Amino acid sequence: MAEPRSFPDVIVDTAYHKLMAARARANPDTRAEKPRDAIIAGLSLVTEALNYSFSASQLRLERKRGDLTFRLNIQSDRNNVAGQRAAILVHPAIYSRAVSAWSKRHPSEWIRPKTPLPLPFVGSQIGYMGEPKGWMTWDFADPASRRETAEDLAQTIRSRVEPFFAAFDGPVEGIAALPLQPGGVLPEMRAAGILTYLLAHGHKSLALQTLTSYFDARPKDRAEFEAKLHEFAGNGLPEFRSLGVSDLAAFAVATGYPWS
């Protein structure tokens, strides 16, 4: 079963797999199953257990519901080796046509994306969606254990991803409450993503209520947020995005906070 790993463990594992991959490439086994073929076979088994469509060409699983696309983006490990390692990382993300349109026409260059749309308004590595948090991978290289690996990934998607996706099948108040849930996937996935969704769908008062409640639960962050609001309002927005309170303050200034 895949277990969340700490950052130091990931560094050690990466170094090991990088060394093994270098050795294998020096003497490749041309008869061995290619990592991509093993991954496609494994993900095909995953889709048997879940309600997603699977694109082998783009390595992603997704389903659509109205304005939204729920997607599991699959990243192949760069140190995979034919017949030895066919590991993947899973990055759940949610896309919205309304959010894409809102972002594209927004007057602030800080909000308008500088890369092609669509972009997810919220997303994370699957290991950080739930507890315990950590980097998670699945390896489909061994045909004998491939189905077991696929079943483990499917169960992890059910337990870590589906509860978050399910919030978007309910009332908008449930979506607005996501940044406030203790031990959940946010704020790692950025409260700004949920605020973007609320503003793009015209829920300005709910966005304001969400942000107020967010800082009611984080009084230490509120002081930094207010200081950054003042700084950005007077000196302009930062050049680069971040994942912290500073990013949330820049988002607020760019979108005309307090929203009304």
Side-chain angles (χ1 to χ4, degrees), residues 20 24 30 50 55 102 105 116 120 127 130-131 137-138 142 164 196 208 210 222 225 235 238 240 255:
M20 293 299 101
T30 58
L50 299 174
S55 170
W102 179 84
R105 66 173 182 264
E131 297 291 344
T137 61
W138 285 263
D142 183 4
F164 182 71
T196 296
L208 183 58
T210 297
R222 185 192 297 275
F225 174 76
N235 302 329
F240 300 105
T255 53

Side-chain angles (χ1 to χ4, degrees), residues 52-103:
Y52 292 86
S53 61
F54 172 49
S55 170
S57 61
Q58 297 175 308
L59 283 187
R60 69 190 189 196
L61 289 74
E62 70 176 28
R63 62 180 171 86
K64 298 179 182 293
R65 199 268 293 162
D67 169 65
L68 299 175
T69 296
F70 303 95
R71 184 175 295 168
L72 302 166
N73 294 305
I74 309 300
Q75 176 187 350
S76 177
D77 191 292
R78 67 177 63 188
N79 295 315
N80 285 342
V81 176
Q84 298 181 32
R85 181 172 169 78
I88 62 166
L89 300 95
V90 181
H91 305 282
I94 307 179
Y95 301 76
S96 162
R97 292 193 300 273
V99 168
S100 292
W102 179 84
S103 301

Side-chain angles (χ1 to χ4, degrees), residues 1-220:
M1 179 177 179
E3 296 289 343
R5 294 173 297 152
S6 66
F7 184 70
D9 288 340
V10 171
I11 295 297
V12 172
D13 288 348
T14 300
Y16 171 78
H17 291 304
K18 185 176 182 179
L19 176 61
M20 293 299 101
R23 289 177 177 176
R25 293 184 185 112
N27 187 26
D29 182 354
T30 58
R31 298 169 298 175
E33 183 181 32
K34 294 179 180 179
R36 183 177 178 83
D37 293 338
I39 289 170
I40 290 173
L43 293 175
S44 296
L45 294 173
V46 172
T47 56
E48 292 179 4
L50 299 174
N51 185 28
Y52 292 86
S53 61
F54 172 49
S55 170
S57 61
Q58 297 175 308
L59 283 187
R60 69 190 189 196
L61 289 74
E62 70 176 28
R63 62 180 171 86
K64 298 179 182 293
R65 199 268 293 162
D67 169 65
L68 299 175
T69 296
F70 303 95
R71 184 175 295 168
L72 302 166
N73 294 305
I74 309 300
Q75 176 187 350
S76 177
D77 191 292
R78 67 177 63 188
N79 295 315
N80 285 342
V81 176
Q84 298 181 32
R85 181 172 169 78
I88 62 166
L89 300 95
V90 181
H91 305 282
I94 307 179
Y95 301 76
S96 162
R97 292 193 300 273
V99 168
S100 292
W102 179 84
S103 301
K104 186 176 181 179
R105 66 173 182 264
H106 199 279
S108 171
E109 293 184 359
W110 201 85
I111 294 295
R112 288 200 306 273
K114 297 179 181 179
T115 57
L117 293 169
L119 293 172
F121 65 89
V122 69
S124 183
Q125 211 269 353
I126 194 171
Y128 291 91
M129 299 183 72
E131 297 291 344
K133 299 186 188 299
W135 209 247
M136 299 181 75
T137 61
W138 285 263
D139 188 348
F140 291 115
D142 183 4
S145 61
R146 189 169 293 161
R147 182 170 290 277
E148 180 181 354
T149 301
E151 290 172 352
D152 181 68
L153 173 53
Q155 180 55 36
T156 304
I157 292 170
R158 292 191 194 98
S159 63
R160 286 179 174 257
V161 181
E162 288 300 321
F164 182 71
F165 283 178
F168 290 83
D169 288 322
V172 69
E173 289 78 11
I175 300 171
L178 286 170
L180 313 177
Q181 294 180 355
V185 297
L186 294 167
E188 289 84 352
M189 295 175 68
R190 289 195 14 212
I194 299 300
L195 296 173
T196 296
Y197 177 86
L198 296 174
L199 294 175
H201 287 81
H203 300 291
K204 293 183 178 181
S205 61
L206 189 55
L208 183 58
Q209 177 184 329
T210 297
L211 188 60
T212 300
S213 299
Y214 183 86
F215 284 117
D216 284 346
R218 298 167 177 83
K220 292 183 179 179

